[in-house]
Amino acid sequence: MSERTPLLHYRLSTSVNEQSGEHHACLSGETVEQSLAFSRLKSAHQSRPKKLSTFFGVVIPTLLSMFSVVVFLRIGFVVGQCGLYQAIAMFLVAYFIISMTVLSVCAISTNGALDAGGAYYMISRALGPEFGGSLGVMFFLANVCSSALYILGLVEAIVATFGLPEDGVSPAGSLQVLPAGYWWSLLYATGILLLCLLVCLVGAEIYAKASFLIFLVVMIVLASIFISFFAMRPRTILLPAALPVHNNTGPQPPNMANFTGFKLDTLLGNLDADYAVDYTTGTMMSFATVFAVMFNGCTGIMAGSNMSGDLKNPSYSIPRGTITAVIFTFIIYNLLSLMVACSCDRILLQRDYSFLRDINVWNPLVTVGVYSSTMSAAMSNLIGASRILFALARDDLFGTVLSPAKKTSHNGNPWVSVLLSWFLVQLVVFTGKLNTIASIVTIFFLLVYAAVDLACLALEWASAPNFRPTFRYFTWHTCVLGIVGCAIMMFLINAIYASASIAFMLLLLLLIHYLSPTSSWGYISQALIFHQVRKYLLMLDVRKDHVKFWRPQLLLMVSNPRSSVGLITFINDIKKSGLYVLGHVQLGDLDTLPSNPLQCRYDSWLSLVDHLNIKAFVNLTLADSVRHGVQHLLFISGLGGMRPNTLVLGFYDDCTPKDKLTDPALTATVPTQDPEDERPPYHFPALRPSNDGMGENGKVMGPHEYVAVIADAMKMMKNVALARYFHQFDRASTISSSPGKGALYVDVWPVNLLRPDSSSYVDTCSLFLLQLACVLNMVRAWRHARLRLFLCVEEGRSLRGSEEKLGQLLKELRIKANVYTVPWDQQVALHWQRQGEAGKRRPTHQSQREEGLGKRGLFEEKEGGDGDYVNSFPSNATRLSDEYLLAVNRLILDQACPPPAVRFLYLPHPPADTQLYTAYLRQLDLLTEDLGPTLLIHGVTPVLTTDL
C-alpha cells in the first residue's frame, strides 16, 4: 500500500482491531508441587466471575473488528478498481488466509484451560516466553497505535462533516459549526479517548454492552444499505474533487456519476478490472495495492479470543463465535460487492468512496455507522492492549518494570494496565498523523497471526500426547498455508516494514531470552527436539560404524564435583563433538530406602553442567558398590548408536582434594544463572581430607576394587583413561598462554613403559594415544598447543631411522607433532637386572618384533597372540623394581622443558591374576608421581586409518 494514503478511507482500515487471548497449551510433566503452586498463583484471577457468552464476548467483537469502516467506505473502491471477478477472487484468497489462522486459533483454544492474554497467551504457552513475550509486546504496541489510528480517523470524519470551512464562516443552515485545526482536533481526539477510557475502566461487562449497542447500530445501517439498493431510484451523484495528477494533459475527469439501480449493462461494465488513479492520493492502483487495502478489512479475527479471560467458557465460545463471525462477514462482503457491481457506474465507484451515504434511504445513517464502527474499533483496541499488558506483567517477563500493571479492581479489571494503555494511546494521538504507523500495525497483526499458526504447527509436529484439542478440523497443512499466507501479505503490504518488524521481533526475542527468568510453562522446542532426536537415533545404525568416523564418547566417573572441576572441563575439551556423560555412583540399597534418593540430585548436577558451560549429560545410579555402579553405567548409558566407548576415572591416590566450586576465580569466570542469588545452584557434600575420586565421602573402595573397575571396562571393550593430578589443572590459566610464543605443550609417550622389552609405537593402544592427543589439538582453545612425541630408543638402534619411521607414520595419519628421541639405556638396564636370564631372550624377541612389524604394516597385528602379549600385564612385571619405575619417572620429568600442560601415557592392561592388582596400581603410582596433569590411556579398538 502506498505511503501516501492520507484520507479517512485508508487510515481507518489499515489497522485492525485486535487483542490477545490466552491459552494453556500442553501441560506436561509437572510435579504435584508445581501444579499446586501454579493453582495458588492463579486462584485470585480465576475466582472472579466470567459472565460473557459466545455472542456478546466473541461474535460481536469479531464482527465489529472485521467490519470497522471497510464495509461502508471500501467496498466501492475494491469493485471499482478490480471488477467483480477479481474482487470476489480477492475475498476468497484473503478469507482463505485468515481461515487457516482461525483453524489454528480454534485448535489451540480447545486444548485446555484458557486465560487472559489472547494471542500472547497462546503463543507464549506453546512456543515459550521468548516468542510469546516478543510478539506480545508487538501486539500490545499494535493495539495502542491502532486505537489512536481509529480515534484520529473518527476526528477527521467529524471535522469533515461538522467543521468550519477554511474561511471560518459557516453557511446559513449548515451543521459546520466546530472549529478546525491541529489543537482543536487534538482536543476532540482527547475527549473521545477519555470516553473510551471510562468504558474500559468500568470493565469488560460494560464494554460488551456498549459493543452490543454499536453492533445494533451497524446492523441497522447495513440493513438500510441493502434496502436502499432496491428502494432508491436511479439518480445522478455529484463527485468529490480529486487531487491533481502531475503531467496530466488528457481530458478532465467527469464530476458526475450515476446510480443506475439493478441493470445488466451496469453489471457487465463492472465485471473486469480497470485500475485507475486513486482520487484521494493521486497514485496509480494495482492488484497488489488494492489487495493490501482490502485485506486490512478482513483481519480482526482474534478480537473474540482477546476476551478469553472474561468468557464463561472460552474453549467453547472462541471456536464457534469466531467461525460464525468470519462466515457472516464473508457473506456480507460478497453480497455488497455483487449489489454494488449491479447498480453503480464504475466512475461512481472509483471517484466517490462514500457513495453509500448518497444512495441511502436516509443519508445520516451511513455517517452514524462510520462513527459507531470507528468508535468500537478504538475502544476494542484500547481494552485489548490493556489485557495484553496485564498478561505480560503477570508473567514477569520484564522483571519489576511492569509490576504495577498487575493491579486489578475488586471485579478483576486491570485498571492500571488500562491507564497505562490509555496514556500511550494519548502520546500517539499527539503525533496527529499515523499514515506510516498504519501499515506497520497491520504487519504486526499479520506477524502475530503467523506466530499462532506456527504455535499450532509446532504442537502438531511435536506429537505431544497432551495436545488433543476438541476442535479437530485442522492439519499441519492448514498451519503451513496460514504461515505462508500471512508472510506473503506482510511483504505485499510493505516489504521494508515487514523486514523491520521481523528484525524487531528477533531483537525482543534475544532480550527476553537472556534477561528473563526461566519459566515453568514448558517449551515446545524441547518436544520438537525430542521428536527429531528420537527419529535420528533410530536411523543411527551401529552396524554401519566405521573407523573413519570414530569420535570419543566419554563416560567420566565423578565422585564429588567439588574436587573434579579441572578434570570435568578438560574432558569436555577432548570429547570432539562426541557423547559426554558425567556418571556418579551413590552407595545404597533401594529396598531399604523410602524413595529414590537420586531424583532430587539431578537438578544440582544439571546446574553444575550449566555453571561450567560444558556439553554433557548426567547419569546417576544407585548400587551396593562402586564397581557394580560403574558396570551399570557402562551397560546402560547412552541410547542406540550413542553409547560411551571410553571410561575416564580419577586416579587412586592420597592427594588432598581442593574445593574448586568455592574458588572465587572460578566463580568470577563462570557466573551463575542468577547474579543476584549468592547461593550456589548446586548442593554437593563437603570434601573430606582424603578422596580417591570415586567414592562420595572418603575412600569407599579399596585399590583391588579400583583395578577391577578398569579390568571390567576393558572386558566390555571400552577404552580406559586414568586422570591424575587434574586438581592442579586450571583451564582458564592454561589456555591463556601466549599462542604466538607456543608456550602450550602436550606430551605423548606412546610406549608401554612397564614393558621396555615390548615397546611398540604402532599397536592399538599407542595409536589411540595419538588420536586423543590429535583430537585435543583440534579443539579451538588448544589449536595453538604443540604436540611433542617422545620416542624411547636403546643403544644399537638407529636413532635417525626410528625418528624417520615415526615421522612417516605421523605423516600418513595427518598428525602434526614434533618427534624427540629419548635414549633410555640406563633405565632399561635397571629393568633387566631384575629379569635375570630373561634379558638374554630380549634381543631375539626385539628383532623378531621389528621384522614382523615390517612385514605386516602399521595397523595389522601378528597372529598368534603377540598383540595379547603386548597389551597384557606379564608375569615378570611383578619383578619390576622401584628403582626402574622411579628412573623412568625422572626420565619423563627431565624431558619437561618447558613443562607441558598435560601428558598422555600408555596404560597397560591389568594383570590376569587379580592378586596382582595392588602391585599393578602401585607401579602406576610410582610411574606417574609428580608428573602434573596426566592421562594414562588404554585403547582397545582401532581409531586411526590412512584410507580416504
Side-chain angles (χ1 to χ4, degrees):
M1 181 166 48
S2 171
E3 295 183 12
R4 298 180 56 198
T5 51
L7 291 189
L8 168 70
H9 320 307
Y10 278 77
R11 270 197 298 268
L12 288 179
S13 63
T14 27
S15 171
V16 186
N17 160 14
E18 308 270 333
Q19 275 174 298
S20 316
E22 292 196 29
H23 169 66
H24 216 335
C26 290
L27 283 178
S28 59
E30 284 191 336
T31 63
V32 176
E33 292 80 2
Q34 289 172 326
S35 299
L36 291 176
F38 182 76
S39 300
R40 287 194 296 269
L41 287 173
K42 298 180 65 177
S43 59
H45 179 70
Q46 291 181 335
S47 61
R48 65 184 179 87
K50 299 180 179 181
K51 300 180 180 180
L52 299 185
S53 62
T54 301
F55 183 72
F56 285 97
V58 181
V59 175
I60 290 178
T62 306
L63 281 175
L64 292 178
S65 297
M66 298 187 71
F67 276 152
S68 66
V69 296
V70 176
V71 70
F72 304 113
L73 299 176
R74 198 53 59 84
I75 289 295
F77 164 77
V78 174
V79 176
Q81 296 287 347
C82 302
L84 182 61
Y85 289 153
Q86 288 192 16
I88 294 177
M90 283 184 178
F91 281 116
L92 288 173
V93 172
Y95 271 82
F96 175 78
I97 292 174
I98 65 172
S99 295
M100 298 301 101
T101 302
V102 168
L103 296 180
S104 298
V105 171
C106 294
I108 297 179
S109 63
T110 59
N111 187 53
L114 200 63
D115 209 344
Y120 158 70
Y121 192 91
M122 295 182 184
I123 297 169
S124 63
R125 268 47 176 188
L127 298 182
E130 292 89 352
F131 273 100
S134 59
L135 289 166
V137 170
M138 296 177 68
F139 210 16
F140 167 72
L141 295 176
N143 277 274
V144 166
C145 296
S146 183
S147 180
L149 182 77
Y150 282 113
I151 288 174
L152 289 174
L154 177 58
V155 168
E156 288 194 9
I158 293 174
V159 171
T161 305
F162 301 104
L164 288 172
E166 294 182 359
D167 56 8
V169 179
S170 176
S174 172
L175 297 177
Q176 296 176 317
V177 295
L178 294 178
Y182 170 77
W183 292 107
W184 285 107
S185 296
L186 182 61
L187 178 63
Y188 304 149
T190 302
I192 296 172
L193 181 57
L194 284 174
L195 179 61
C196 295
L197 173 65
L198 291 176
V199 173
C200 295
L201 281 176
V202 174
E205 188 175 356
I206 189 66
Y207 162 73
K209 292 179 180 179
S211 297
F212 178 66
L213 294 177
I214 295 175
F215 171 75
L216 290 179
V217 171
V218 171
M219 290 299 104
I220 291 173
V221 174
L222 274 177
S224 71
I225 290 174
F226 280 107
I227 292 173
S228 300
F229 282 114
F230 296 94
M232 297 299 293
R233 294 181 179 179
R235 61 178 61 187
T236 300
I237 299 173
L238 179 65
L239 299 177
L243 289 179
V245 180
H246 298 292
N247 301 325
N248 184 12
T249 57
Q252 294 298 318
N255 57 1
M256 304 291 289
N258 296 321
F259 170 73
T260 64
F262 290 105
K263 283 188 177 181
L264 182 59
D265 292 341
T266 304
L267 174 62
L268 294 176
N270 289 325
L271 290 179
D272 297 323
D274 183 18
Y275 294 104
V277 174
D278 175 22
Y279 78 95
T280 63
T281 62
T283 58
M284 186 66 184
M285 293 292 99
S286 64
F287 181 88
T289 55
V290 174
F291 186 55
V293 171
M294 181 275 302
F295 187 79
N296 296 324
C298 299
T299 54
I301 55 176
M302 287 188 184
S305 61
N306 293 339
M307 305 301 298
S308 57
D310 301 288
L311 298 174
K312 291 180 181 178
N313 189 349
S315 297
Y316 175 88
S317 300
I318 289 177
R320 289 164 176 79
T322 304
I323 292 176
T324 300
V326 168
I327 294 175
F328 182 78
T329 55
F330 178 75
I331 294 173
I332 293 298
Y333 278 140
N334 282 278
L335 282 178
L336 278 178
S337 299
L338 178 62
M339 290 186 174
V340 164
C342 292
S343 58
C344 300
D345 283 345
R346 185 177 290 270
I347 295 297
L348 177 62
L349 300 179
Q350 291 180 342
R351 291 287 313 281
D352 187 2
Y353 296 157
S354 59
F355 72 97
L356 290 178
R357 180 187 59 191
D358 299 325
I359 67 172
N360 198 272
V361 291
W362 189 47
N363 292 357
L365 266 181
V366 175
T367 303
V368 171
V370 171
Y371 293 172
S372 300
S373 60
T374 308
M375 183 75 173
S376 172
M379 191 163 51
S380 179
N381 277 277
L382 178 59
I383 197 171
S386 66
R387 295 307 190 267
I388 298 170
L389 181 62
F390 173 66
L392 285 167
R394 197 178 57 182
D395 287 337
D396 289 324
L397 294 183
F398 298 92
T400 59
V401 176
L402 298 180
S403 56
K406 299 179 185 179
K407 296 181 180 180
T408 60
S409 61
H410 66 279
N411 63 348
N413 186 35
W415 60 274
V416 177
S417 296
V418 173
L419 289 176
L420 290 174
S421 301
W422 163 81
F423 177 73
L424 292 178
V425 173
Q426 184 65 62
L427 289 181
V428 178
V429 165
F430 274 108
T431 62
K433 302 294 181 181
L434 292 176
N435 300 333
T436 302
I437 297 178
S439 297
I440 299 178
V441 166
T442 304
I443 290 172
F444 276 10
F445 287 138
L446 288 173
L447 193 58
V448 173
Y449 295 166
V452 171
D453 287 316
L454 179 62
C456 187
L457 177 66
L459 291 170
E460 178 71 8
W461 275 356
S463 301
N466 281 329
F467 182 63
R468 42 179 184 270
T470 56
F471 183 88
R472 295 302 305 171
Y473 301 101
F474 77 98
T475 66
W476 68 268
H477 303 86
T478 61
C479 300
V480 171
L481 289 174
I483 295 172
V484 173
C486 290
I488 291 175
M489 278 308 308
M490 286 170 54
F491 286 93
L492 188 63
I493 292 174
N494 194 307
I496 297 177
Y497 292 165
S499 302
S501 299
I502 294 174
F504 180 56
M505 180 201 71
L506 294 177
L507 177 62
L508 288 174
L509 188 149
L510 291 175
L511 288 176
I512 296 175
H513 176 75
Y514 287 107
L515 299 180
S516 67
T518 303
S519 72
S520 59
W521 307 335
Y523 292 82
I524 190 63
S525 59
Q526 296 298 305
L528 292 171
I529 291 171
F530 176 88
H531 188 269
Q532 294 300 311
V533 168
R534 181 193 63 85
K535 180 174 70 175
Y536 286 113
L537 272 177
L538 291 172
M539 298 171 60
L540 190 59
D541 192 345
V542 295
R543 296 168 296 184
K544 298 179 181 178
D545 283 347
H546 194 278
V547 65
K548 289 190 298 184
F549 308 111
W550 179 91
R551 66 181 69 239
Q553 303 195 78
L554 306 163
L555 170 62
L556 171 62
M557 297 304 304
V558 179
S559 165
N560 192 327
R562 293 187 180 278
S563 61
S564 306
V565 171
L567 180 58
I568 293 173
T569 55
F570 177 77
I571 298 301
N572 183 67
D573 284 339
I574 210 172
K575 69 180 184 301
K576 185 56 181 176
S577 303
L579 179 66
Y580 183 19
V581 180
L582 296 179
H584 174 74
V585 179
Q586 180 170 338
L587 299 183
D589 186 356
L590 194 58
D591 291 337
T592 62
L593 297 173
S595 62
N596 181 9
L598 302 177
Q599 191 62 42
C600 60
R601 298 199 172 194
Y602 271 99
D603 286 344
S604 293
W605 283 85
L606 294 176
S607 297
L608 174 75
V609 170
D610 295 336
H611 181 80
L612 298 179
N613 194 26
I614 61 175
K615 298 178 180 179
F617 299 96
V618 174
N619 211 340
L620 312 181
T621 189
L622 184 70
D624 57 355
S625 69
V626 175
R627 181 182 182 185
H628 289 164
V630 176
Q631 289 177 359
H632 296 168
L633 294 178
L634 287 174
F635 276 126
I636 67 174
S637 291
L639 196 64
M642 293 189 65
R643 293 185 179 277
N645 55 29
T646 303
L647 174 67
V648 183
L649 304 173
F651 197 79
Y652 192 97
D653 56 21
D654 295 323
C655 292
T656 302
K658 182 181 179 182
D659 192 344
K660 290 294 186 72
L661 289 183
T662 60
D663 188 348
L666 175 68
T667 307
T669 55
V670 190
T672 58
Q673 292 179 348
D674 188 359
E676 298 179 358
D677 189 1
E678 296 181 357
R679 296 173 302 171
Y682 34 75
H683 305 282
F684 300 112
L687 295 174
R688 293 187 178 183
S690 178
N691 196 339
D692 62 352
M694 287 292 295
E696 184 173 348
N697 293 317
K699 292 185 178 298
V700 295
M701 66 175 180
H704 187 279
E705 184 180 1
Y706 177 81
V707 179
V709 170
I710 301 173
D712 291 342
M714 295 181 184
K715 290 177 184 178
M716 298 180 192
M717 295 303 293
K718 306 294 184 183
N719 309 300
V720 178
L722 307 182
R724 190 174 191 187
Y725 295 121
F726 273 87
H727 63 277
Q728 304 174 4
F729 179 79
D730 185 353
R731 184 179 186 275
S733 61
T734 300
I735 64 177
S736 62
S737 301
S738 174
K741 298 179 180 179
L744 191 60
Y745 292 94
V746 176
D747 287 359
V748 182
W749 294 77
V751 61
N752 186 353
L753 297 174
L754 300 188
R755 286 296 309 275
D757 59 327
S758 61
S759 59
S760 171
Y761 295 94
V762 289
D763 63 12
T764 301
C765 188
S766 299
L767 296 178
F768 187 79
L769 260 73
L770 292 175
Q771 177 74 315
L772 283 189
C774 182
V775 166
L776 180 64
N777 198 209
M778 294 170 68
V779 177
R780 181 187 300 272
W782 292 82
R783 284 180 182 172
H784 63 282
R786 296 184 181 181
L787 295 185
R788 297 189 299 191
L789 191 59
F790 292 95
L791 178 64
C792 296
V793 295
E794 300 176 43
E795 185 180 356
R797 295 183 58 184
S798 172
L799 299 182
R800 185 173 182 83
S802 300
E803 186 174 350
E804 289 178 355
K805 289 180 180 179
L806 188 55
Q808 181 63 27
L809 170 64
L810 296 176
K811 183 178 179 181
E812 293 182 10
L813 296 177
R814 290 91 60 205
I815 297 176
K816 184 179 181 181
N818 297 324
V819 180
Y820 298 90
T821 55
V822 180
W824 68 331
D825 296 85
Q826 296 179 1
Q827 291 77 14
V828 173
L830 291 174
H831 168 68
W832 289 113
Q833 287 177 5
R834 294 289 303 270
Q835 305 307 313
E837 294 300 323
K840 300 178 180 179
R841 298 190 298 271
R842 181 182 61 85
T844 303
H845 173 77
Q846 178 75 9
S847 60
Q848 289 175 350
R849 187 187 63 78
E850 292 179 356
E851 181 181 357
L853 174 62
K855 292 180 179 178
R856 65 181 183 268
L858 292 176
F859 301 99
E860 300 177 11
E861 293 186 359
K862 291 191 297 181
E863 299 179 0
D866 182 66
D868 293 337
Y869 173 74
V870 170
N871 289 323
S872 66
F873 188 76
S875 59
N876 62 0
T878 60
R879 297 191 296 272
L880 283 175
S881 65
D882 292 351
E883 291 81 3
Y884 166 74
L885 295 171
L886 293 175
V888 173
N889 176 264
R890 286 193 297 271
L891 175 69
I892 297 174
L893 287 173
D894 290 342
Q895 309 305 317
C897 186
V902 64
R903 288 182 174 89
F904 289 75
L905 300 185
Y906 190 114
L907 174 66
H909 195 289
D913 186 354
T914 58
Q915 296 181 357
L916 302 178
Y917 280 180
T918 304
Y920 168 80
L921 184 58
R922 183 175 182 277
Q923 291 169 4
L924 296 180
D925 179 64
L926 292 175
L927 178 67
T928 58
E929 186 175 2
D930 296 329
L931 290 186
T934 302
L935 276 184
L936 287 160
I937 300 172
H938 184 90
V940 297
T941 55
V943 295
L944 284 171
T945 180
T946 57
D947 296 335
L948 183 61

